[in-house]
Short mmCIF file of all heavy atoms in Angstrom, two decimals:
data_model
loop_
_atom_site.label_atom_id
_atom_site.label_comp_id
_atom_site.label_asym_id
_atom_site.label_seq_id
_atom_site.Cartn_x
_atom_site.Cartn_y
_atom_site.Cartn_z
N ASN A 983 -52.31 -30.70 -28.74
CA ASN A 983 -53.02 -29.44 -28.42
C ASN A 983 -52.41 -28.98 -27.13
O ASN A 983 -52.57 -29.64 -26.03
CB ASN A 983 -54.51 -29.67 -28.27
CG ASN A 983 -55.13 -29.95 -29.61
OD1 ASN A 983 -55.11 -29.20 -30.53
ND2 ASN A 983 -55.82 -31.11 -29.74
N LEU A 984 -51.78 -27.74 -27.15
CA LEU A 984 -51.00 -27.33 -25.97
C LEU A 984 -51.58 -26.00 -25.48
O LEU A 984 -51.82 -25.05 -26.30
CB LEU A 984 -49.55 -27.13 -26.40
CG LEU A 984 -48.81 -28.45 -26.86
CD1 LEU A 984 -48.59 -28.23 -28.41
CD2 LEU A 984 -47.54 -28.74 -26.13
N ARG A 985 -51.71 -25.91 -24.13
CA ARG A 985 -52.13 -24.77 -23.47
C ARG A 985 -51.10 -24.17 -22.53
O ARG A 985 -50.45 -24.91 -21.86
CB ARG A 985 -53.51 -25.04 -22.76
CG ARG A 985 -54.06 -23.86 -21.89
CD ARG A 985 -55.33 -24.25 -21.33
NE ARG A 985 -56.30 -24.46 -22.39
CZ ARG A 985 -57.57 -24.76 -22.26
NH1 ARG A 985 -58.03 -25.00 -21.04
NH2 ARG A 985 -58.41 -24.96 -23.32
N ASP A 986 -50.92 -22.85 -22.56
CA ASP A 986 -49.89 -22.15 -21.78
C ASP A 986 -50.45 -22.20 -20.34
O ASP A 986 -51.50 -21.63 -20.05
CB ASP A 986 -49.73 -20.78 -22.22
CG ASP A 986 -48.55 -20.13 -21.57
OD1 ASP A 986 -48.00 -20.74 -20.59
OD2 ASP A 986 -48.10 -19.02 -21.91
N ILE A 987 -49.69 -22.85 -19.50
CA ILE A 987 -50.01 -22.93 -18.02
C ILE A 987 -48.98 -22.29 -17.14
O ILE A 987 -48.79 -22.55 -15.97
CB ILE A 987 -50.28 -24.36 -17.55
CG1 ILE A 987 -49.09 -25.22 -17.76
CG2 ILE A 987 -51.59 -24.93 -18.22
CD1 ILE A 987 -49.25 -26.64 -17.19
N SER A 988 -48.17 -21.31 -17.78
CA SER A 988 -46.98 -20.72 -17.09
C SER A 988 -47.53 -19.95 -15.86
O SER A 988 -46.98 -20.03 -14.83
CB SER A 988 -46.24 -19.78 -18.02
OG SER A 988 -45.72 -20.57 -19.10
N GLU A 989 -48.60 -19.24 -16.05
CA GLU A 989 -49.16 -18.29 -14.94
C GLU A 989 -49.67 -19.31 -13.86
O GLU A 989 -49.49 -19.00 -12.71
CB GLU A 989 -50.23 -17.51 -15.47
CG GLU A 989 -49.69 -16.38 -16.37
CD GLU A 989 -50.86 -15.39 -16.75
OE1 GLU A 989 -52.06 -15.57 -16.27
OE2 GLU A 989 -50.56 -14.48 -17.54
N ARG A 990 -50.34 -20.40 -14.24
CA ARG A 990 -50.81 -21.35 -13.24
C ARG A 990 -49.68 -22.00 -12.45
O ARG A 990 -49.69 -22.13 -11.23
CB ARG A 990 -51.63 -22.45 -13.91
CG ARG A 990 -52.46 -23.28 -12.87
CD ARG A 990 -53.22 -24.37 -13.66
NE ARG A 990 -52.35 -25.52 -14.02
CZ ARG A 990 -52.78 -26.46 -14.74
NH1 ARG A 990 -53.99 -26.48 -15.29
NH2 ARG A 990 -52.01 -27.53 -15.04
N LYS A 991 -48.59 -22.33 -13.21
CA LYS A 991 -47.40 -22.97 -12.56
C LYS A 991 -46.75 -21.96 -11.60
O LYS A 991 -46.33 -22.22 -10.50
CB LYS A 991 -46.42 -23.42 -13.64
CG LYS A 991 -46.84 -24.66 -14.37
CD LYS A 991 -46.57 -25.85 -13.43
CE LYS A 991 -46.75 -27.16 -14.18
NZ LYS A 991 -46.55 -28.34 -13.34
N GLN A 992 -46.71 -20.68 -12.02
CA GLN A 992 -46.12 -19.61 -11.16
C GLN A 992 -46.92 -19.49 -9.92
O GLN A 992 -46.43 -19.24 -8.82
CB GLN A 992 -45.97 -18.35 -11.97
CG GLN A 992 -44.99 -18.43 -13.05
CD GLN A 992 -44.99 -17.14 -13.98
OE1 GLN A 992 -45.77 -16.25 -13.68
NE2 GLN A 992 -44.12 -17.18 -14.99
N ALA A 993 -48.26 -19.46 -10.10
CA ALA A 993 -49.25 -19.26 -8.98
C ALA A 993 -49.02 -20.47 -8.02
O ALA A 993 -48.99 -20.31 -6.80
CB ALA A 993 -50.61 -19.18 -9.47
N GLU A 994 -48.92 -21.67 -8.54
CA GLU A 994 -48.86 -22.84 -7.76
C GLU A 994 -47.48 -22.83 -6.97
O GLU A 994 -47.38 -23.14 -5.76
CB GLU A 994 -48.83 -24.13 -8.61
CG GLU A 994 -50.28 -24.41 -9.13
CD GLU A 994 -50.22 -25.64 -10.11
OE1 GLU A 994 -49.16 -26.09 -10.39
OE2 GLU A 994 -51.35 -26.04 -10.52
N ALA A 995 -46.41 -22.46 -7.66
CA ALA A 995 -45.08 -22.32 -7.10
C ALA A 995 -45.13 -21.28 -5.89
O ALA A 995 -44.50 -21.49 -4.90
CB ALA A 995 -43.99 -21.98 -8.09
N LEU A 996 -45.81 -20.13 -6.23
CA LEU A 996 -45.94 -19.12 -5.16
C LEU A 996 -46.65 -19.61 -4.01
O LEU A 996 -46.23 -19.35 -2.78
CB LEU A 996 -46.61 -17.87 -5.75
CG LEU A 996 -46.78 -16.75 -4.84
CD1 LEU A 996 -45.40 -16.16 -4.38
CD2 LEU A 996 -47.52 -15.58 -5.51
N LEU A 997 -47.69 -20.38 -4.13
CA LEU A 997 -48.46 -20.88 -3.03
C LEU A 997 -47.66 -21.81 -2.23
O LEU A 997 -47.56 -21.81 -0.96
CB LEU A 997 -49.75 -21.61 -3.49
CG LEU A 997 -50.84 -20.71 -4.08
CD1 LEU A 997 -52.04 -21.54 -4.63
CD2 LEU A 997 -51.32 -19.70 -2.94
N VAL A 998 -46.88 -22.71 -2.94
CA VAL A 998 -45.91 -23.63 -2.23
C VAL A 998 -44.94 -22.88 -1.48
O VAL A 998 -44.57 -23.19 -0.31
CB VAL A 998 -45.32 -24.63 -3.30
CG1 VAL A 998 -44.33 -25.49 -2.59
CG2 VAL A 998 -46.42 -25.53 -3.84
N HIS A 999 -44.40 -21.82 -2.18
CA HIS A 999 -43.34 -21.09 -1.47
C HIS A 999 -43.80 -20.46 -0.18
O HIS A 999 -43.14 -20.46 0.93
CB HIS A 999 -42.77 -20.00 -2.43
CG HIS A 999 -41.68 -19.24 -1.85
ND1 HIS A 999 -40.33 -19.60 -1.91
CD2 HIS A 999 -41.68 -17.97 -1.21
CE1 HIS A 999 -39.56 -18.70 -1.34
NE2 HIS A 999 -40.41 -17.64 -0.99
N ARG A 1000 -44.99 -19.77 -0.32
CA ARG A 1000 -45.57 -19.21 0.90
C ARG A 1000 -45.88 -20.13 1.98
O ARG A 1000 -45.85 -19.76 3.17
CB ARG A 1000 -46.87 -18.44 0.51
CG ARG A 1000 -46.54 -17.21 -0.36
CD ARG A 1000 -47.85 -16.48 -0.80
NE ARG A 1000 -47.63 -15.30 -1.52
CZ ARG A 1000 -48.52 -14.59 -2.09
NH1 ARG A 1000 -49.85 -14.93 -2.05
NH2 ARG A 1000 -48.23 -13.42 -2.74
N ALA A 1001 -46.32 -21.43 1.60
CA ALA A 1001 -46.61 -22.41 2.62
C ALA A 1001 -45.32 -22.83 3.36
O ALA A 1001 -45.43 -23.39 4.48
CB ALA A 1001 -47.33 -23.60 1.95
N LEU A 1002 -44.15 -22.69 2.71
CA LEU A 1002 -42.92 -23.24 3.34
C LEU A 1002 -41.91 -22.11 3.67
O LEU A 1002 -40.84 -22.51 4.19
CB LEU A 1002 -42.28 -24.16 2.29
CG LEU A 1002 -43.08 -25.44 1.93
CD1 LEU A 1002 -42.35 -26.19 0.80
CD2 LEU A 1002 -43.37 -26.29 3.12
N HIS A 1003 -42.28 -20.92 3.59
CA HIS A 1003 -41.33 -19.82 3.86
C HIS A 1003 -41.97 -18.72 4.73
O HIS A 1003 -43.18 -18.53 4.63
CB HIS A 1003 -40.79 -19.14 2.61
CG HIS A 1003 -39.88 -20.03 1.80
ND1 HIS A 1003 -40.42 -21.04 1.04
CD2 HIS A 1003 -38.52 -20.09 1.76
CE1 HIS A 1003 -39.31 -21.67 0.44
NE2 HIS A 1003 -38.19 -21.08 0.87
N ASP A 1004 -41.13 -18.11 5.50
CA ASP A 1004 -41.65 -17.01 6.36
C ASP A 1004 -41.91 -15.80 5.45
O ASP A 1004 -41.06 -15.31 4.69
CB ASP A 1004 -40.50 -16.70 7.38
CG ASP A 1004 -40.79 -15.35 8.07
OD1 ASP A 1004 -41.91 -15.26 8.54
OD2 ASP A 1004 -39.86 -14.49 8.14
N PRO A 1005 -43.08 -15.20 5.54
CA PRO A 1005 -43.40 -14.08 4.59
C PRO A 1005 -42.58 -12.77 4.79
O PRO A 1005 -42.40 -12.02 3.86
CB PRO A 1005 -44.90 -13.87 4.91
CG PRO A 1005 -45.10 -14.37 6.26
CD PRO A 1005 -44.15 -15.50 6.40
N LEU A 1006 -42.06 -12.59 6.03
CA LEU A 1006 -41.25 -11.42 6.28
C LEU A 1006 -39.84 -11.53 5.79
O LEU A 1006 -39.29 -10.67 4.98
CB LEU A 1006 -41.26 -11.07 7.75
CG LEU A 1006 -40.39 -9.91 8.25
CD1 LEU A 1006 -40.90 -8.57 7.61
CD2 LEU A 1006 -40.34 -9.73 9.78
N THR A 1007 -39.12 -12.56 6.19
CA THR A 1007 -37.68 -12.69 5.89
C THR A 1007 -37.43 -13.55 4.57
O THR A 1007 -36.31 -13.68 4.19
CB THR A 1007 -36.88 -13.32 7.11
OG1 THR A 1007 -37.49 -14.61 7.32
CG2 THR A 1007 -37.13 -12.48 8.27
N ASN A 1008 -38.44 -14.33 4.15
CA ASN A 1008 -38.34 -15.23 3.10
C ASN A 1008 -37.53 -16.43 3.44
O ASN A 1008 -37.02 -17.20 2.48
CB ASN A 1008 -37.81 -14.53 1.79
CG ASN A 1008 -38.25 -15.21 0.55
OD1 ASN A 1008 -39.43 -15.87 0.48
ND2 ASN A 1008 -37.44 -15.31 -0.44
N LEU A 1009 -37.19 -16.70 4.69
CA LEU A 1009 -36.47 -17.90 5.14
C LEU A 1009 -37.39 -19.06 5.25
O LEU A 1009 -38.63 -18.86 5.40
CB LEU A 1009 -35.81 -17.61 6.46
CG LEU A 1009 -34.69 -16.46 6.56
CD1 LEU A 1009 -34.33 -16.37 7.99
CD2 LEU A 1009 -33.59 -16.88 5.71
N PRO A 1010 -36.91 -20.29 5.18
CA PRO A 1010 -37.77 -21.40 5.41
C PRO A 1010 -38.42 -21.29 6.79
O PRO A 1010 -37.89 -20.92 7.79
CB PRO A 1010 -36.77 -22.56 5.42
CG PRO A 1010 -35.68 -22.14 4.59
CD PRO A 1010 -35.55 -20.67 4.84
N ASN A 1011 -39.77 -21.75 6.84
CA ASN A 1011 -40.42 -21.71 8.08
C ASN A 1011 -40.31 -23.04 8.90
O ASN A 1011 -39.51 -23.96 8.43
CB ASN A 1011 -41.94 -21.34 7.86
CG ASN A 1011 -42.68 -22.45 6.95
OD1 ASN A 1011 -42.20 -23.49 6.71
ND2 ASN A 1011 -43.84 -21.97 6.46
N ARG A 1012 -41.12 -23.24 9.92
CA ARG A 1012 -40.98 -24.43 10.72
C ARG A 1012 -41.21 -25.72 9.88
O ARG A 1012 -40.40 -26.64 10.04
CB ARG A 1012 -41.89 -24.38 11.87
CG ARG A 1012 -41.82 -25.68 12.81
CD ARG A 1012 -42.78 -25.56 13.89
NE ARG A 1012 -42.40 -24.48 14.87
CZ ARG A 1012 -41.58 -24.61 15.82
NH1 ARG A 1012 -40.97 -25.85 16.09
NH2 ARG A 1012 -41.31 -23.59 16.66
N THR A 1013 -42.22 -25.69 9.01
CA THR A 1013 -42.50 -26.90 8.19
C THR A 1013 -41.33 -27.31 7.37
O THR A 1013 -40.95 -28.44 7.31
CB THR A 1013 -43.77 -26.67 7.34
OG1 THR A 1013 -44.87 -26.34 8.21
CG2 THR A 1013 -44.13 -27.91 6.56
N MET A 1014 -40.74 -26.28 6.72
CA MET A 1014 -39.65 -26.60 5.80
C MET A 1014 -38.41 -26.95 6.58
O MET A 1014 -37.59 -27.83 6.17
CB MET A 1014 -39.42 -25.37 4.87
CG MET A 1014 -38.41 -25.73 3.68
SD MET A 1014 -38.41 -24.36 2.49
CE MET A 1014 -37.33 -25.05 1.22
N ILE A 1015 -38.17 -26.30 7.72
CA ILE A 1015 -37.01 -26.53 8.48
C ILE A 1015 -36.94 -27.97 8.96
O ILE A 1015 -36.03 -28.70 9.06
CB ILE A 1015 -36.82 -25.51 9.59
CG1 ILE A 1015 -36.23 -24.31 9.11
CG2 ILE A 1015 -35.92 -26.12 10.75
CD1 ILE A 1015 -34.86 -24.37 8.66
N LEU A 1016 -38.20 -28.47 9.44
CA LEU A 1016 -38.30 -29.86 9.86
C LEU A 1016 -38.05 -30.83 8.78
O LEU A 1016 -37.37 -31.85 8.99
CB LEU A 1016 -39.70 -30.17 10.46
CG LEU A 1016 -39.98 -29.43 11.83
CD1 LEU A 1016 -41.51 -29.61 12.18
CD2 LEU A 1016 -39.16 -30.16 12.88
N ASP A 1017 -38.47 -30.50 7.54
CA ASP A 1017 -38.24 -31.38 6.40
C ASP A 1017 -36.72 -31.31 6.08
O ASP A 1017 -36.12 -32.43 5.89
CB ASP A 1017 -39.00 -30.89 5.15
CG ASP A 1017 -38.67 -31.75 3.95
OD1 ASP A 1017 -39.16 -32.86 3.91
OD2 ASP A 1017 -38.11 -31.25 3.04
#
C-alpha cells in the first residue's frame, strides 16, 4: 500500500534548504559553511 509523499518530501527539503541557506542570496549560511 503506497501513499504519495512527494509534497511532504518537497516541504521537508525546503525546510532543510532554508535552515542551511541564506534566504536573500540562496548561498550557504554559517551553519552550512561550517559543515
Side-chain angles (χ1 to χ4, degrees):
N983 293 299
L984 302 110
R985 174 172 298 178
D986 190 352
I987 57 171
S988 298
E989 292 185 1
R990 191 181 82 187
K991 285 286 188 180
Q992 292 172 2
E994 291 174 352
L996 181 60
L997 289 175
V998 172
H999 182 84
R1000 288 177 176 175
L1002 298 176
H1003 290 79
D1004 169 50
L1006 176 63
T1007 62
N1008 205 34
L1009 293 176
N1011 61 14
R1012 179 180 293 274
T1013 301
M1014 191 170 184
I1015 281 295
L1016 286 171
D1017 179 71

